[in-house]
Each structure stands twice: as structure tokens, then as C-alpha cells.
Amino acid sequence: KQWYQRRVRGETRVGGGCALFINNSLSVTEDLSWGDENNNVVAVYIASCHTVIASIYRTGEYHYLLEELQSFIDKNSEGKTSPDLYIMGDLNLPSHKWEQIDGDRNYMATDEFS
């Protein structure tokens, strides 16, 4: 098996959800899979590069999603600096300010999430 795989979707949903596939050359030391009927997050912590990678599906109502992700980041920051954090997915933030970072379809957030 070449990939570490983690998936999650809400119990009542058909289809959708989040997935992460991490090459086995990177050792995943912690993982998080959380979802409710509207939102999902899958995150992994890779100790060798002190990095958290998260895949998120977020509807307009996200209640506990950010709290779960923050708790996971805090758990992997104890006694250390905060890890590098990469968040990707369907964030559903149409009114958010986005800045194109290259000539392709890659954008980054330029202000706080709301």
C-alpha cells in the first residue's frame, strides 16, 4: 500500500465528504476525522516536517468544524511552535477576499475566515 488514506462524510449524506491521500514515505503520526450532517474535516499531522494538512468541506453553517480543527492543531503544538498548516477543500466562502497566486486556478485567502 503506497498511500495513507483517510476519508469522512456525514452519516446521513450520500456522496461528498473529504479525503486525504498521503504518500507512505511521510509518516502520519496523528489524524482527525470529523463530520456532521453539513461539514467534514480530515486532517493529519506529519511530525517529520511539523505540518498539519487538512481537507475541509464547509457549508455556510459550520458550528463545530473550526473548533475540532483548532483542537487538533493545539494538540500537535504542545511544547512546540505551531505547525505549518495547509488547508484545502470546498470552503464555500463566496464573499471572502481571494488573491490569485499564479497563472493557474490557485488562490489564497487574504483576510480572516468569517
Side-chain angles (χ1 to χ4, degrees):
K1 188 171 157 182
Q2 186 177 1
W3 300 96
Y4 174 86
Q5 168 186 320
R6 201 71 171 128
R7 297 177 185 210
V8 66
R9 74 172 149 219
E11 292 179 20
T12 59
R13 287 202 2 232
V14 176
C18 293
L20 276 178
F21 296 86
I22 306 294
N23 190 288
N24 281 336
S25 65
L26 297 171
S27 179
V28 172
T29 54
E30 295 282 339
D31 65 22
L32 164 70
S33 294
W34 180 87
D36 63 16
E37 63 276 356
N38 296 310
N39 305 284
N40 305 118
V41 60
V42 176
V44 295
Y45 175 68
I46 303 168
S48 63
C49 55
H50 193 47
T51 299
V52 170
I53 301 172
S55 174
I56 292 176
Y57 173 73
R58 175 193 175 273
T59 64
E61 301 176 18
Y62 57 93
H63 305 292
Y64 301 107
L65 182 139
L66 295 179
E67 293 168 8
E68 292 291 329
L69 183 57
Q70 184 64 56
S71 177
F72 182 74
I73 293 166
D74 292 346
K75 176 181 176 185
N76 289 291
S77 300
E78 292 177 359
K80 302 176 259 191
T81 59
S82 295
D84 291 335
L85 175 62
Y86 297 89
I87 298 175
M88 61 204 91
D90 187 349
L91 304 176
N92 285 309
L93 297 169
S95 62
H96 194 72
K97 294 178 184 172
W98 297 96
E99 180 180 308
Q100 191 166 7
I101 58 174
D102 60 24
D104 204 356
R105 294 180 57 196
N106 297 311
Y107 293 83
M108 70 177 199
T110 57
D111 59 357
E112 295 290 320
F113 289 103
S114 56

